[in-house]
Amino acid sequence: MTKMISKKKSALIVTVLCGTVLPVNAYVGSTDNTTAVNTHDVVVTASRTEQKVKETPSAVEVITHEQLERTGANTLTEALKMATDLNITQSAMGNNVSLRGMNNNQTLILINGRRVRTEDTNDSANKYELNRVNMSNVDHIEIVRGAASSLYGSDAMGGVINIITKKTIAPEVTVGSDWTTHEKDGYLHVGTGQKGKWSFDIDSRYSDTRNWGYLGSTDEVINLGTGTYSMLTNVTNQYGKRYFFNFDGRYALAENRELDFFFDYMKENLESQSLTKHIISMPTYSGTVLTAGYRNLFDHERWTTGIGYKGKDRLGDYEFRIYNTKFNKKQSVYYSNYSGSLHSVGDLSSTDDMTFNSTTIDGRRSLQVGDNHLLTLGGEYRIEKYDSTRLTSDSDMKYAAFYAQDEWLISHKWQLIPSVRWDYVDAFGSKVTAKLGNTYHLSKNLRLKMNIGSAYRAPTASELYMDWTHSSYALILGNKDLRPETAVNFDIGIEGEHRNTSGKLTYFHNKVKDMIDYEYQGVTSGLYTYKYYNVDHAVIQGVEAEAKQKLSNKFSLRSTYTYLDAVNSDTNERLANRASHSVKLMLEFDDMAKYGITATLWQDWLLGYRYELGEDVGTTHLNTLNFVINKKFNDNFSAYMGVDNILNKQDVHLFDDGRVWRVGMKYTF
């Protein structure tokens, strides 16, 4: 089914620890041998406590509020495009998003440290989430690359993306709008600032995604001896309207104690289209028969509500939360004979209903133990209920976990962070994961970082019990005999700065056992059929490199490179939906102080991307040139204009339909 390739040699390695919660104050062993860092260089996702980026052993990247402003990111996809070793590609129904070559569902997406309840298959998990974030409510984004199961448990095998929302200090009202070739939106943000003991942030957003046309196809070819018969299915993107509403209220109980009330709402009214045609090439007849068209209508609603309590005393920091997410999904498939276009709905073919309900209780406590140890203890209890027409069995699952971490400052040059977590899933029993992270200062501006640890992910209800026969183009089958995924990973990296130059170089290696994937089974009743199975052994390894050079007081040059070798080590076949080489080269201009202008010109190369669409298997390449300019006219008004894929490159296998124009503006009162 796939082309055989030889194994690459393994070399060094190390990767990352992960974690995340709301920002809290905590002791971090700093040293006089490190250079000063700004506020946005302090992160909470890597260790569940505040740490400087330079001190944490993890491979951490922060997309600051300033960077979001200058790129005019109106979706999370746009915001993450410039991140290192974060694979984001377009698909017919959404986006593939993965860290360090792991699958979609092995990257954990969080909002303020809270789990996002989303679809739960290895392909659909996170695929739609990049378009479900209200970007007008985002302050900054923290990314940790590498396994984080020792702090976050299941779903964090590849890393964590933590989206931190705005917490306004002074009163403000912001209105804005964006228009792109793909969509248009408008938004409103209201922040009260601190009013007595209360403060509130309220956000609403409306988004309308356009139908870009038929983005790609899957093709099944059958050789009949006297000729060939092929079935070609073309599909569009999901298009339609999304509505967002977010509320965050905070009440100061005392100087170092706070209650947090939050409510998030998202609604989607979307649709997509697919066309199936049969192509016949025989001595007696050759031609194309357009036989069927489908319209898929999606009606989705998601509510998240909860309360949190956090504070600080003489012993350290603490936090406790309880929150519930309910996610309703209804899909209707309409069928009609194809007659040139699909402008009418046609006859109802099938309906598909799903309801996800998740309740989570979590908490943690940090304790200063002597001068050199910061101990963090935490736990989580989660109940997930899933009622769906796609499932063949009861799907309720219960999760429990406890974890411990020690930030040990051995000396002013050396910090060691061991962590361990016990997870329990009622369907599979217990599992213990652990990690050891290390940061050693070789000199004032040069650091060696190393991590080694284990990771774990339990199969989801859909992967175990799915029988999705209601799709217009695919039949996806679960496998009740699936085994949990496990992994052993390590990485080693060096990073440093010298005057106007900075850089990082990291080698990572993941040895994965029982990786869950889906395998193509052929065509059943006109549907492409896939079934979940365990890849017994897979090795995912590679190299990450990043360099930045300040050319002048206005210009800087940044480049990133990732080499990825992801292989089913039992067959030596490359794993699909991954690129061998990813390269970014960015020229940045900043004259905000004088003229209020920032601009970025960047080139992306995606090389040796392996795809599998039914029997259509191969590799492809894509390179795009992009530009964005942002102008701040005064303290209240700013606007941006950008062009993605300036040279209008297109690739059917990556669902890239070419050039995208972007403009937007906002006004703050």
Side-chain angles (χ1 to χ4, degrees), residues 588-626:
E588 298 177 338
F589 173 81
D590 190 336
D591 195 7
M592 182 62 70
K594 187 174 182 179
Y595 293 108
I597 293 177
T598 62
T600 305
L601 177 70
W602 75 99
Q603 177 81 36
D604 282 343
W605 289 270
L606 200 63
L607 307 173
Y609 185 91
R610 182 172 181 79
Y611 61 85
E612 290 185 7
L613 299 170
E615 290 291 342
D616 187 8
V617 178
T619 58
T620 188
H621 314 281
L622 182 67
N623 67 86
T624 60
L625 181 65
N626 316 276

Side-chain angles (χ1 to χ4, degrees), residues 10-174:
S10 298
L12 358 137
I13 35 238
V14 194
T15 141
V16 172
L17 179 76
C18 287
T20 173
V21 294
L22 295 174
V24 292
N25 296 321
Y27 166 84
V28 178
S30 60
T31 168
D32 292 337
N33 283 5
T34 59
T35 56
V37 294
N38 297 321
T39 302
H40 64 250
D41 288 325
V42 176
V43 296
V44 298
T45 307
S47 63
R48 291 191 181 263
T49 62
E50 283 189 355
Q51 278 195 325
K52 295 178 180 179
V53 171
K54 292 181 180 180
E55 296 298 324
T56 179
S58 302
V60 175
E61 185 170 357
V62 181
I63 302 176
T64 67
H65 183 71
E66 292 77 12
Q67 290 172 315
L68 294 174
E69 290 284 314
R70 68 182 297 160
T71 58
N74 67 307
T75 65
L76 191 56
T77 304
E78 293 289 338
L80 296 175
K81 275 186 176 180
M82 297 185 190
T84 302
D85 201 6
L86 178 55
N87 175 38
I88 297 180
T89 54
Q90 179 69 41
S91 70
M93 296 307 212
N95 298 92
N96 297 309
V97 52
S98 66
L99 287 162
R100 285 188 169 173
M102 302 297 277
N103 287 333
N104 273 4
N105 60 346
Q106 294 166 336
T107 297
L108 180 61
I109 297 180
L110 305 163
I111 296 180
N112 292 328
R114 303 191 301 264
R115 288 177 176 270
V116 177
R117 188 62 174 102
T118 182
E119 291 81 2
D120 66 347
T121 71
N122 76 319
D123 184 59
S124 64
N126 298 330
K127 183 178 287 289
Y128 312 99
E129 290 309 315
L130 300 193
N131 296 315
R132 289 174 175 164
V133 173
N134 182 357
M135 286 301 297
S136 57
N137 187 36
V138 175
D139 181 75
H140 66 279
I141 301 168
E142 297 178 2
I143 303 169
V144 184
R145 299 188 299 275
S149 291
S150 63
L151 286 181
Y152 291 100
S154 193
D155 306 327
M157 294 184 71
V160 177
I161 299 172
N162 190 16
I163 301 157
I164 311 297
T165 61
K166 294 177 181 177
K167 304 287 189 294
T168 53
I169 299 174
E172 72 169 44
V173 177
T174 299

Side-chain angles (χ1 to χ4, degrees), residues 546-559:
E546 180 180 354
K548 187 171 183 178
Q549 177 68 46
K550 189 173 179 60
L551 303 174
S552 68
N553 62 345
K554 296 180 181 179
F555 286 94
S556 61
L557 189 66
R558 178 175 176 245
S559 61

Side-chain angles (χ1 to χ4, degrees), residues 408-427:
W408 179 16
L409 186 64
I410 298 176
S411 71
H412 70 281
K413 290 186 175 182
W414 189 9
Q415 182 174 229
L416 201 65
I417 304 182
S419 58
V420 62
R421 176 169 170 136
W422 171 83
D423 276 279
Y424 173 79
V425 184
D426 60 352

